[in-house]
Amino acid sequence: MRIDETAKRAATRLMVYAGIIIASPLLLVAGAPIRTRYLQYIYRDDAPPVVDKPNGVVSVHYYVVMNPLLYRLCWPTQTVIYLARRFR
């Protein structure tokens, strides 16, 4: 989506928040593995860039990855996984 399309950006952010709120129970229970696989999918070798500044294009994935609500909902399981690996 073009950077100068403010209406589309606002609608995209709203839909991202709505999707995260709907999926919040699942993210609280298994958020870390889901987020990790999603990030691997976005940043794979043959994927288009998330932000393409020369062309003025921002991917929808940018709004998902940079969403603070998604980070906060995935944080508890990420902490549990970190502690489990640390005390092995």
Side-chain angles (χ1 to χ4, degrees), residues 46-59:
D46 59 344
V50 177
V51 177
D52 190 9
K53 283 187 179 180
N55 296 327
V57 177
V58 176
S59 174

Side-chain angles (χ1 to χ4, degrees), residues 26-48:
L26 177 65
L27 292 172
L28 281 171
V29 174
I34 293 170
R35 186 171 185 261
T36 303
R37 286 190 181 167
Y38 182 68
L39 290 174
Q40 288 173 351
Y41 171 75
I42 291 172
Y43 293 115
R44 67 190 189 279
D45 289 336
D46 59 344

Side-chain angles (χ1 to χ4, degrees), residues 59-70:
S59 174
V60 176
H61 299 295
Y62 173 78
Y63 298 110
V64 176
V65 171
M66 301 306 284
N67 193 306
L69 182 60
L70 178 68

Side-chain angles (χ1 to χ4, degrees), residues 19-29 73:
I20 290 172
I21 289 172
I22 290 170
S24 62
L26 177 65
L27 292 172
L28 281 171
V29 174
L73 287 174

Side-chain angles (χ1 to χ4, degrees), residues 11-24:
T12 302
R13 283 185 173 175
L14 181 67
M15 295 305 290
V16 166
Y17 270 106
I20 290 172
I21 289 172
I22 290 170
S24 62

